[in-house]
Amino acid sequence: AQDGGAAPGGGHPEDDTSFRWQCVEQPIGKLLFQRFLDGAPGLAAAKALWAELEAYERCEEAERGGAAAAIRGRFFAPGGTEHCSFLSAAAMAPPAGEPRP
């Protein structure tokens, strides 16, 4: 499945080329991609964002609102300490029902 989903029968096909499969779900792919981010000028914020998103996924439900606001302010807001200007406007848009900063 090219969209990163499981193939019929629950497995992943050998030729799955999706980013999610290669760089998130596969430990060696994830390690190699993070090393690429470490060595690429200008992508340190992308690696920091990835780490914060993984931490967000592990935090308690009660902490998620504050964690999300901190991530938006740090990475998505122009002028944030590690603004990821390479992200699309859709990726940086606040969730439905939240006002734009």
Side-chain angles (χ1 to χ4, degrees), residues 69-84:
I71 289 170
R72 283 192 302 272
R74 180 175 168 192
F75 297 103
F76 297 170
T81 57
E82 294 183 271
H83 181 239
C84 294

Side-chain angles (χ1 to χ4, degrees), residues 51-79:
E52 290 297 320
L53 292 174
E54 286 183 331
Y56 173 84
E57 289 177 2
R58 292 186 305 269
C59 74
E60 297 292 328
E61 189 66 34
E63 300 169 343
R64 287 194 168 195
I71 289 170
R72 283 192 302 272
R74 180 175 168 192
F75 297 103
F76 297 170

Side-chain angles (χ1 to χ4, degrees), residues 13-85:
E14 293 289 325
D15 62 347
D16 191 342
T17 59
S18 70
F19 174 83
R20 172 163 284 293
W21 174 244
Q22 291 184 352
C23 298
V24 177
E25 296 175 11
Q26 297 300 306
I28 191 69
K30 182 176 180 176
L31 175 67
L32 291 173
F33 188 71
Q34 288 181 341
R35 285 187 179 173
F36 162 75
L37 293 176
D38 282 337
L43 294 181
K47 184 169 183 204
L49 173 59
W50 188 329
E52 290 297 320
L53 292 174
E54 286 183 331
Y56 173 84
E57 289 177 2
R58 292 186 305 269
C59 74
E60 297 292 328
E61 189 66 34
E63 300 169 343
R64 287 194 168 195
I71 289 170
R72 283 192 302 272
R74 180 175 168 192
F75 297 103
F76 297 170
T81 57
E82 294 183 271
H83 181 239
C84 294
S85 61

